[in-house]
Amino acid sequence: MDNSSQSSNLNQIQNQNLLSQQVSYPQSLPRLEEQGDDWSLRDFLSLLRRRSLVIAGVATVVIGSVVYLTFKQEKLYESSFRLLVEPLNVDSRQLVLNSGQSSNQEPRTGLDYDSQIQVLRSPELMTKIVRRLQSLYPEMTYNSLIKSLAITRLRETKILEIRYLSQDPEQAKVVLDQIANGYLEYSLEQRQTSLRQGLNFVEEQLRSMQKRVDQLQREQQIFQQKYGFVDPNTQAEQITAQSANLSAQRQAINQQLAAARANLTALRQQQGEQAALIDAPLYQQLLSQLRQVEIQIAGELTRLQEDNPTIQTLKARRKGLLPLIQQEARRYMDTKLAQATTQVQALEVQSQELAKGEQKLEEKRKQLPILTREYTELQRKLQVATDSLSRFLNTRETLQVQVAQSELPWQLIQPPVQPKIPVSPNIRRNLMTGFLVSLVLGVGVALLLEKLDNTYHSANSLKKKLKEPLLGVLPFENQLQVSQFYTSIQRVFTGSVPDSLPKNISVSGVGDRTSSIYGSKFVEAVRVLYTNIQLLSSDRPIRSIVISSAMSGDGKSTVAFHLAQIACAMGQKVLLVDADLRQPVIHNLSNLKNNWGLSNLISTNVPVTEAIQQAPFMKQLSVLTAGPIPPDPTKLLSSEKMKRMIEEFHNNYDLVIYDTPLVVGLADASLLAPHTDGILMVVRMEKTNSSVLKQALDSLKMARMNVLGVVGNGQRSNFGSEYDY
């Protein structure tokens, strides 16, 4: 195929791909902003995958520790028994009658269970039980017994549950047998006859206290009906709120009144009259006609005599308009003055009415403290009487319950049994808890490491943290050879693979299938990057680009190399210039010699055509290698000859790509960028330090460099990534 036909095919391919990129372009960059909340979950899943080893390590250590401690823990056995401490049948109904409740209602418990439990654990009660146990277990003491003893109320029932823990199951049962016998003896010894005498005294006091409460309630009712309020504090708040509301309304009315008076005064003056006439439509229309007549008169006087009939007619017309204008002005101003006067009068009336309302509220507010003092004193007396009545009622109920309890002993409804299965350690529960805790700690450590990590892990994080546009995201390639990339370009753009590769290209041991998959992903990503760069400017295409980075190893040379190939495949005449005169890489990527290059062109009189080489794997791509490394690269790049060469490259090629050294600490990129269309920063995922990148971008902004955007390099596949399409 000759060069003309090949160029035609490439132009067709370029048009088709540009059309497709215009359709897909809104889905490449803005879609990062449209994801919304979905990206938070995606980032979290990516974090879990990146830190999977850390999570697994922490989880393994924690679960291993839990397993070790669980199996090392001593076995404990628990036995229990239950006591019914309040009556349920006939005596219970009698208790209800004595307390004044309806027989259809559930009986209320009169026992203070918290206090009773403290009594059952007290040394006075437990002394006899400990002495009996010491005959069987000499090491038993009160403290050791209480430490392993638990007494609780069984939910809302009248049953107490007593539990005991021991390493010996037989000892657990023996101890609880002795405790059960001791508690039953205690219930029989608590019959107290003096409680009935106290109950009679309480009944007498209740009758007098009830009369006192009834009298004070009637006085309170009369007081409220007389003065028409329930609570003085509420009444004071209402009066204060109403007064504040009226005051605010009056201030607003006074402001409006002041404005209305100022407006009336202004209308009576000449300046105010002129300002008001601006809004008079008929007056402005007549005034406009007068101006037109004067303009016509001035125009006619330039070519006619003053006694000409036309001029006389125009003057007569002007003379007739003047009284109409004055008459319309007077009519309009009279109307405005009447409206302003009416508004002032209405506002004055409203202000006076609001002032009267405020005066009435002030009188009520002055009388309120006296009523409040009387009401508070009445409330205090009623509260004291009510509290006294409540205390006597509670005392009566307590005495009634205590009398019933003293007459009926407790019942052992569930005796203690010897346990067979240990309650501790609970292997299943410990393992489940350890597993959950290990996961939480693992994820917590992963989040902490992620917080301390100062690099970028995804395109989404890069988009959020940088203000510069994200022009493209290149996927991570384990082994990206020139042959793979070239094969993928041919497959994407021509739909076929060449029969043979260039002889000077060596293919590594990567299978055809892997090469096809990874190469096509990378090519598509570079295509998107190229298209986004071209779409940055609608006025003129991007003709020259400086590609740099903030740190070494970010892949700037690789991006520049593959971007140049894509541009060639899209039908562009491309020159790739290795302007990194410190650590040149382009000649290795292109498999070219570096005997002659950019340093020779600047320092000697070598013709440009002798230094520029054609890429062996893509004849359309022109490459200018760096050449021998000079002692002072900055001096060469800042020379006038370099500027002339940049201009010559710009005139002879459709696109010139410059691979430059780092931005931070070196001036090479800053020397070339002002003479190009802008600089493109390469950011390596999971490597580039965000603070160093920010320093690089800030230095470029301070130097007023045109930063086209950034490109993310080495993006590993994420959940739901577009690379999985």
Side-chain angles (χ1 to χ4, degrees):
M1 181 181 295
D2 56 7
N3 294 334
S4 61
S5 61
Q6 184 178 6
S7 176
S8 176
N9 292 335
L10 288 174
N11 290 332
Q12 293 177 1
I13 295 172
Q14 178 186 10
N15 295 332
Q16 294 175 359
N17 285 282
L18 285 176
L19 181 60
S20 64
Q21 290 295 337
Q22 291 175 359
V23 176
S24 62
Y25 174 70
Q27 298 178 358
S28 59
L29 292 177
R31 68 179 295 184
L32 295 177
E33 301 175 348
E34 295 172 0
Q35 295 295 333
D37 296 337
D38 295 341
W39 274 87
S40 60
L41 177 60
R42 184 178 303 172
D43 291 342
F44 181 71
L45 295 177
S46 299
L47 182 148
L48 294 182
R49 188 176 63 174
R50 288 196 306 272
R51 307 293 182 181
S52 58
L53 293 178
V54 175
I55 297 174
V58 173
T60 302
V61 172
V62 173
I63 198 66
S65 302
V66 170
V67 171
Y68 173 76
L69 294 176
T70 298
F71 287 99
K72 188 179 179 181
Q73 187 176 356
E74 296 180 353
K75 295 182 180 181
L76 294 177
Y77 296 86
E78 183 182 69
S79 183
S80 64
F81 67 90
R82 294 180 181 179
L83 287 174
L84 178 63
V85 296
E86 289 189 82
L88 295 176
N89 301 322
V90 179
D91 295 309
S92 179
R93 290 194 295 270
Q94 183 66 30
L95 181 61
V96 171
L97 294 175
N98 292 334
S99 61
Q101 293 184 2
S102 173
S103 60
N104 296 327
Q105 298 178 356
E106 292 293 332
R108 286 191 308 174
T109 177
L111 181 63
D112 185 357
Y113 281 87
D114 293 335
S115 300
Q116 185 64 66
I117 290 173
Q118 294 302 321
V119 171
L120 294 179
R121 294 173 60 90
S122 63
E124 291 79 8
L125 181 58
M126 299 296 294
T127 301
K128 294 181 180 180
I129 301 175
V130 172
R131 289 175 182 174
R132 295 173 187 172
L133 292 173
Q134 285 179 346
S135 62
L136 300 175
Y137 306 101
E139 72 281 359
M140 181 73 68
T141 62
Y142 169 76
N143 291 330
S144 63
L145 178 61
I146 291 299
K147 184 178 180 181
S148 301
L149 185 67
I151 305 175
T152 57
R153 182 183 180 185
L154 190 62
R155 294 185 293 276
E156 298 298 327
T157 64
K158 301 177 181 181
I159 299 174
L160 290 180
E161 185 177 31
I162 296 88
R163 301 188 304 274
Y164 182 76
L165 281 174
S166 176
Q167 298 179 5
D168 184 3
E170 182 179 357
Q171 180 185 2
K173 182 180 182 304
V174 172
V175 170
L176 285 183
D177 286 335
Q178 295 297 329
I179 293 176
N181 295 331
Y183 286 171
L184 292 175
E185 292 174 1
Y186 160 77
S187 67
L188 294 174
E189 294 173 358
Q190 299 303 313
R191 298 179 180 181
Q192 301 176 1
T193 57
S194 60
L195 293 175
R196 293 189 178 275
Q197 297 177 358
L199 186 61
N200 294 332
F201 172 78
V202 171
E203 291 288 352
E204 294 177 359
Q205 296 296 322
L206 277 175
R207 286 190 289 271
S208 61
M209 293 302 302
Q210 186 65 49
K211 292 180 181 179
R212 175 62 175 166
V213 170
D214 293 340
Q215 180 183 356
L216 291 174
Q217 287 178 346
R218 284 194 297 271
E219 291 179 5
Q220 184 185 29
Q221 182 180 359
I222 294 172
F223 184 89
Q224 291 176 343
Q225 291 176 350
K226 181 178 179 180
Y227 295 104
F229 64 90
V230 177
D231 184 14
N233 295 329
T234 305
Q235 192 75 12
E237 293 176 358
Q238 293 177 355
I239 292 175
T240 303
Q242 292 176 1
S243 178
N245 187 20
L246 290 178
S247 177
Q249 293 181 8
R250 187 167 61 83
Q251 290 179 2
I253 292 297
N254 290 340
Q255 292 177 357
Q256 296 178 8
L257 180 60
R261 288 174 177 172
N263 183 32
L264 181 61
T265 303
L267 290 175
R268 290 174 178 173
Q269 297 177 359
Q270 183 177 1
Q271 294 180 352
E273 180 179 354
Q274 293 177 357
L277 289 175
I278 295 177
D279 299 327
L282 183 57
Y283 174 83
Q284 294 296 329
Q285 183 179 1
L286 293 174
L287 190 62
S288 177
Q289 293 179 5
L290 178 62
R291 292 172 181 170
Q292 291 179 358
V293 171
E294 290 179 349
I295 291 173
Q296 291 178 359
I297 293 175
E300 293 296 335
L301 285 176
T302 58
R303 62 186 186 84
L304 300 176
Q305 295 294 327
E306 190 170 352
D307 56 352
N308 188 277
T310 301
I311 295 178
Q312 294 299 323
T313 301
L314 292 174
K315 288 183 177 181
R317 184 178 177 184
R318 180 181 61 182
K319 185 176 181 181
L321 287 173
L322 291 175
L324 292 176
I325 293 174
Q326 295 176 357
Q327 182 179 358
E328 175 60 22
R330 179 51 48 198
R331 183 194 67 79
Y332 184 81
M333 289 304 302
D334 290 341
T335 302
K336 295 292 288 186
L337 288 172
Q339 293 176 353
T341 302
T342 302
Q343 184 181 8
V344 170
Q345 294 175 354
L347 292 174
E348 289 176 349
V349 171
Q350 294 180 12
S351 178
Q352 294 173 1
E353 293 297 327
L354 292 174
K356 292 179 181 178
E358 285 185 86
Q359 186 176 2
K360 292 180 180 179
L361 290 175
E362 182 63 22
E363 293 175 357
K364 290 183 179 180
R365 189 183 63 80
K366 291 180 179 179
Q367 188 183 6
L368 189 61
I370 301 174
L371 299 177
T372 301
R373 184 174 64 253
E374 295 178 1
Y375 184 83
T376 303
E377 182 65 21
L378 186 59
Q379 282 285 92
R380 186 185 64 79
K381 294 179 180 179
L382 179 59
Q383 183 65 35
V384 171
T386 304
D387 293 341
S388 299
L389 179 61
S390 299
R391 286 195 297 271
F392 274 100
L393 288 172
N394 293 334
T395 303
R396 185 184 66 176
E397 293 177 358
T398 302
L399 289 174
Q400 289 175 347
V401 171
Q402 291 178 357
V403 168
Q405 289 178 341
S406 66
E407 295 178 353
L408 293 175
W410 294 353
Q411 299 179 22
L412 182 63
I413 61 175
Q414 179 179 317
V417 294
Q418 182 173 335
K420 297 181 180 180
I421 302 176
V423 295
S424 178
N426 191 331
I427 298 177
R428 182 178 180 182
R429 183 187 61 189
N430 291 353
L431 292 181
M432 291 292 295
T433 304
F435 177 73
L436 295 177
V437 172
S438 64
L439 288 182
V440 172
L441 289 178
V443 174
V445 173
L447 292 175
L448 178 62
L449 293 177
E450 189 73 11
K451 188 70 175 178
L452 299 176
D453 195 350
N454 205 21
T455 61
Y456 303 97
H457 299 287
S458 65
N460 190 30
S461 62
L462 189 62
K463 182 72 174 180
K464 289 179 181 178
K465 296 180 181 179
L466 294 182
K467 297 181 180 180
E468 304 298 334
L470 180 59
L471 299 180
V473 180
L474 306 183
F476 177 79
E477 294 284 359
N478 289 323
Q479 295 182 3
L480 181 63
Q481 303 294 336
V482 177
S483 59
Q484 298 173 2
F485 191 78
Y486 178 70
T487 303
S488 301
I489 290 178
Q490 295 295 328
R491 181 179 290 108
V492 171
F493 285 97
T494 65
S496 62
V497 181
D499 296 334
S500 61
L501 297 172
K503 296 181 180 180
N504 54 355
I505 302 293
S506 61
V507 182
S508 64
V510 180
D512 295 337
R513 183 177 180 183
T514 304
S515 173
S516 174
I517 293 174
Y518 286 99
S520 62
K521 290 181 181 180
F522 192 85
V523 169
E524 292 299 332
V526 180
R527 286 177 59 196
V528 172
L529 171 62
Y530 170 77
T531 305
N532 291 339
I533 293 173
Q534 295 301 318
L535 293 177
L536 283 176
S537 177
S538 58
D539 300 335
R540 58 185 181 86
I542 301 296
R543 299 287 303 278
S544 56
I545 305 173
V546 169
I547 297 181
S548 185
S549 61
M551 300 176 61
S552 61
D554 287 346
K556 60 178 183 60
S557 301
T558 304
V559 173
F561 176 68
H562 295 308
L563 181 62
Q565 296 180 64
I566 285 293
C568 285
M570 298 288 282
Q572 297 285 312
K573 185 179 180 183
V574 181
L575 174 62
L576 176 60
V577 180
D578 191 350
D580 190 348
L581 302 182
R582 303 173 187 271
Q583 295 179 358
V585 179
I586 296 298
H587 64 280
N588 292 328
L589 295 176
S590 304
N591 200 13
L592 296 172
K593 296 181 179 180
N594 194 28
N595 298 333
W596 292 90
L598 180 62
S599 60
N600 302 106
L601 291 179
I602 301 175
S603 59
T604 64
N605 294 325
V606 177
V608 175
T609 55
E610 293 186 7
I612 294 179
Q613 307 178 59
Q614 302 298 321
F617 51 87
M618 183 176 283
K619 298 301 182 181
Q620 301 90 338
L621 176 61
S622 300
V623 180
L624 177 58
T625 61
I629 298 177
D632 189 359
T634 304
K635 181 178 180 181
L636 294 182
L637 295 177
S638 61
S639 63
E640 290 296 329
K641 187 173 183 179
M642 182 63 195
K643 297 178 182 178
R644 293 195 301 270
M645 289 172 56
I646 292 175
E647 183 177 357
E648 181 179 354
F649 296 157
H650 184 79
N651 295 330
N652 294 334
Y653 292 90
D654 298 331
L655 178 63
V656 184
I657 299 176
Y658 297 90
D659 177 26
T660 62
L662 310 181
V663 173
V664 178
L666 299 176
D668 299 24
S670 301
L671 293 174
L672 297 180
H675 306 289
T676 63
D677 292 331
I679 183 170
L680 178 66
M681 295 295 294
V682 177
V683 179
R684 184 63 178 264
M685 299 298 182
E686 303 182 10
K687 181 183 180 300
T688 302
N689 191 299
S690 59
S691 59
V692 178
L693 178 60
K694 184 177 183 301
Q695 179 184 355
L697 293 175
D698 291 343
S699 64
L700 293 175
K701 291 179 181 179
M702 291 180 59
R704 297 184 179 181
M705 301 295 177
N706 181 25
V707 180
L708 300 176
V710 297
V711 54
N713 186 27
Q715 171 69 64
R716 298 180 182 273
S717 179
N718 290 329
F719 295 99
S721 174
E722 62 270 19
Y723 301 120
D724 297 331
Y725 178 71

